[in-house]
Amino acid sequence: ASHPDQALSALLRAQIPEYLHDEADGPARVRVAAARHLWRGAPSDVSERKVVPLDLKAVLPTSDPNAAIALIVHCRNNGELLIDAMASVRLCAPEVFQIVIVDDGSTDQRTVAILDALEQEGILVARQETEGLGRARNLGTSLTSAPSMLYLSADDLLRSGYVNDAFALLHHHPGAGVVHSD
């Protein structure tokens, strides 16, 4: 079977050639470009189209409730950016995560539809009234049994290999409790 990035590259080759350079982060660019291609420019009235286009399923990560690392993602009214973030998480394979998205009181109809679609695809979506980033992260943490946490916001992207590198640093420096990037 071909690698998923090859299929996405074929889909985007004619439309977004600048994303297909042979750079180290080329696959990440392909994934995020695919997510943007499928969501941007779609009708704003979500009732006029399917919420999750069939092709989008190829860029969503699989959540594993037994994974040792929980990915807690805060989202409030930025569902389209959340799709980009999920596309970047997919790139982290073979890294596997328990994924919890915390909806911090979204009122945007499109974001709510995207969160519903992600939930239908097996990703845990917890909902709370608008209480802020800290409470959203605490809620997400309470919903997982993983010994390690990785916190993102919906507008963050993960680069392939970041998680392995971050946890290797923690392993080699047992006195450290947190690894942070720019």
Side-chain angles (χ1 to χ4, degrees):
S2 67
H3 191 274
D5 287 329
Q6 292 172 336
L8 289 171
S9 292
L11 173 71
L12 298 169
R13 191 174 319 279
Q15 297 160 347
I16 316 173
E18 66 270 17
Y19 282 96
L20 302 177
H21 295 283
D22 290 330
E23 302 170 10
D25 63 345
R29 292 172 184 252
V30 169
R31 287 264 180 232
V32 173
R36 287 183 177 151
H37 169 72
L38 292 167
W39 284 93
R40 304 298 195 266
S44 60
D45 180 359
V46 293
S47 65
E48 292 180 11
R49 63 183 181 90
K50 293 173 79 173
V51 174
V52 179
L54 189 57
D55 293 352
L56 183 60
K57 292 178 184 179
V59 300
L60 293 179
T62 301
S63 184
D64 181 351
N66 299 312
I69 301 170
L71 178 66
I72 312 297
V73 185
H74 172 264
C75 179
R76 183 167 196 305
N77 290 331
N78 49 4
E80 289 186 14
L81 294 176
L82 178 62
I83 294 298
D84 295 349
M86 291 294 96
S88 77
V89 170
R90 171 75 181 241
L91 262 183
C92 294
E95 298 164 3
V96 178
F97 309 97
Q98 293 181 29
I99 300 173
V100 180
I101 298 171
V102 180
D103 175 21
D104 193 22
S106 293
T107 56
D108 171 64
Q109 179 185 9
R110 189 163 170 117
T111 295
V112 171
I114 290 168
L115 290 165
D116 290 344
L118 291 172
E119 195 168 32
Q120 290 173 359
E121 293 301 318
I123 294 174
L124 176 60
V125 176
R127 298 171 196 268
Q128 67 178 21
E129 295 299 318
T130 305
E131 296 185 38
L133 180 62
R135 288 192 186 235
R137 287 181 173 173
N138 287 340
L139 174 60
T141 300
S142 74
L143 296 173
T144 181
S145 59
S148 299
M149 306 293 152
L150 176 62
Y151 299 101
L152 295 179
S153 293
D155 61 347
D156 292 334
L157 300 175
L158 277 181
R159 187 172 261 189
S160 183
Y162 168 77
V163 177
N164 278 339
D165 292 346
F167 283 92
L169 282 171
L170 285 174
H171 178 73
H172 288 107
H173 301 281
V178 175
V179 173
H180 191 279
S181 65
D182 287 340

